[in-house]
Amino acid sequence: MSVFNNSALYPQFLLTGFQGLESKYSFISLPICLIYIISIAGNITILFIIWTEPSLHQPMYYFLSMLALTDLGLSTVTLPTMFSVFWFHAREISFIACAVQMYFIHVFSIIESAVLLAMAFDRVVAIREPLRYSAILTNSVIIRIGLASAGRALMLVFPVPFLLKRLQFRTINTLSYPFCLHQDLIKLTVSSRRISSIYGLLVVISSMGLDSVLLLLSYMLILATVLSVASKAESVKALNTCISHICAVLTFYTPMIGLSMIRRYGQNASPVVHVLMADVYLLVPPLMNPIVYSVKTKQIRLRILKKFKKQKG
């Protein structure tokens, strides 16, 4: 294959589904379609409930709205290529389309990490400073946190497509997944990828790496505060308010770590395993977050049931 040159046309990329199971794509697409429907419907429901219920206009639920918006964005940006592969067996994607999808996948992932950290900060304030909770987390503070989360992600990932544009690729390049990820793209370059690799690592360390450390410190503070409470009932009540958030953190970070591990140490693993882990990384958090918060958060659950009962009546 010829090598792509910056002065020539952009290269083409081929998305990859589950190799060897192409004849089963009509069946495989059914659970994927169901996941997308539940994810989008669940996150829209969360947003609608919080928007229409004045009693939920509180910091905790504002951050939950940010999480739902981020999950909607992540689902929306991956949906076109997933369906093109599994529904229509259309694997081709241009460099520009691939770079755009890659950009927004990583932007939304970094925003989600930041929102999870903001939600941990919310729990720290609620447990350690309950009397000053409303004074600390004012609407202006929440807006600044939201803008800072989005701004950090947009700025950190902004140079990545331009660094990729400087690299040389073959005319046709086969990706490992049914969507575009930075680490997968730079693996295909035939020129030096050192700068892109180093910058990508710096982005991960300064975003998700830093967020995970701060998340751990937040829960250490929460645990220390809870253990200092004399009443066991109060301790359990305080920890119960964190269960939904802990589930959301585990749902986000566990697949991400699993995907990183299998990319690094699973060279002999089946390509199906690699695609499955990547799908879990991008599909499971938007699916599980609205389910977890609907089931574990009493205020959300009761208002969803109330809305359904009102519509049924």
Side-chain angles (χ1 to χ4, degrees):
M1 290 184 184
S2 62
V3 175
F4 167 68
N5 188 285
N6 287 331
S7 63
L9 296 174
Y10 288 119
Q12 292 291 314
F13 294 88
L14 296 178
L15 302 164
T16 300
F18 295 105
Q19 294 182 15
L21 300 175
E22 286 81 3
S23 61
K24 309 289 185 182
Y25 277 2
S26 57
F27 298 101
I28 294 173
S29 65
L30 292 177
I32 292 175
C33 181
L34 184 62
I35 287 173
Y36 273 114
I37 291 172
I38 295 173
S39 300
I40 293 172
N43 284 294
I44 289 176
T45 300
I46 293 290
L47 288 170
F48 176 75
I49 293 295
I50 294 173
W51 178 267
T52 57
E53 288 291 337
S55 61
L56 298 181
H57 294 174
Q58 302 174 29
M60 173 183 175
Y61 301 107
Y62 289 145
F63 288 129
L64 180 55
S65 297
M66 294 180 196
L67 186 66
L69 281 171
T70 305
D71 284 337
L72 275 175
L74 198 57
S75 296
T76 303
V77 77
T78 57
L79 186 148
T81 53
M82 291 282 281
F83 281 175
S84 70
V85 171
F86 292 111
W87 278 13
F88 307 109
H89 298 268
R91 299 176 56 198
E92 298 84 3
I93 184 171
S94 66
F95 173 83
I96 294 177
C98 194
V100 169
Q101 185 187 51
M102 175 219 66
Y103 177 79
F104 283 106
I105 285 177
H106 291 296
V107 162
F108 283 123
S109 296
I110 293 173
I111 292 175
E112 180 143 351
S113 175
V115 172
L116 290 172
L117 177 60
M119 296 173 83
F121 175 67
D122 169 80
R123 291 299 84 205
V124 170
V125 175
I127 292 173
R128 291 179 64 90
E129 300 287 346
L131 299 179
R132 299 177 57 215
Y133 178 69
S134 299
I136 295 174
L137 287 174
T138 61
N139 289 342
S140 61
V141 169
I142 294 168
I143 291 171
R144 286 200 292 268
I145 290 174
L147 292 175
S149 300
R152 181 187 70 163
L154 291 168
M155 288 189 293
L156 280 176
V157 188
F158 183 75
V160 173
F162 298 99
L163 291 174
L164 283 174
K165 188 178 178 182
R166 297 180 58 196
L167 301 177
Q168 291 182 330
F169 295 90
R170 295 181 175 86
T171 306
I172 303 296
N173 305 270
T174 302
L175 299 169
S176 303
Y177 314 117
F179 36 76
C180 301
L181 297 178
H182 178 253
Q183 59 268 37
D184 197 25
L185 284 167
I186 62 173
K187 183 183 69 175
L188 299 174
T189 182
V190 295
S191 57
S192 174
R193 57 177 180 260
R194 183 173 182 180
I195 295 176
S196 290
S197 297
I198 292 173
Y199 185 76
L201 180 61
L202 290 175
V203 169
V204 172
I205 292 173
S206 60
S207 56
M208 299 176 190
L210 177 62
D211 292 347
S212 61
V213 173
L214 294 176
L215 274 166
L216 183 60
L217 291 175
S218 297
Y219 271 97
M220 289 175 64
L221 288 173
I222 290 172
L223 190 59
T225 304
V226 168
L227 292 176
S228 66
V229 177
S231 171
K232 183 178 179 181
E234 290 180 358
S235 300
V236 172
K237 183 180 179 180
L239 287 175
N240 279 337
T241 64
C242 301
I243 290 177
S244 299
H245 181 255
I246 292 172
C247 291
V249 170
L250 292 175
T251 301
F252 177 75
Y253 279 99
T254 303
M256 182 179 68
I257 294 171
L259 178 62
S260 300
M261 294 296 289
I262 199 167
R263 281 186 62 83
R264 192 172 186 86
Y265 303 108
Q267 290 86 353
N268 297 326
S270 168
V272 173
V273 177
H274 287 262
V275 175
L276 183 62
M277 283 301 302
D279 289 349
V280 168
Y281 165 57
L282 291 181
L283 296 180
V284 169
L287 170 70
M288 293 304 299
N289 287 337
I291 294 175
V292 168
Y293 276 95
S294 298
V295 172
K296 298 299 295 182
T297 306
K298 182 180 178 181
Q299 292 85 342
I300 296 289
R301 184 176 68 251
L302 291 178
R303 280 155 182 81
I304 290 175
L305 293 174
K306 179 182 175 182
K307 293 288 183 183
F308 277 112
K309 287 180 180 178
K310 185 181 294 185
Q311 289 180 358
K312 186 177 180 181

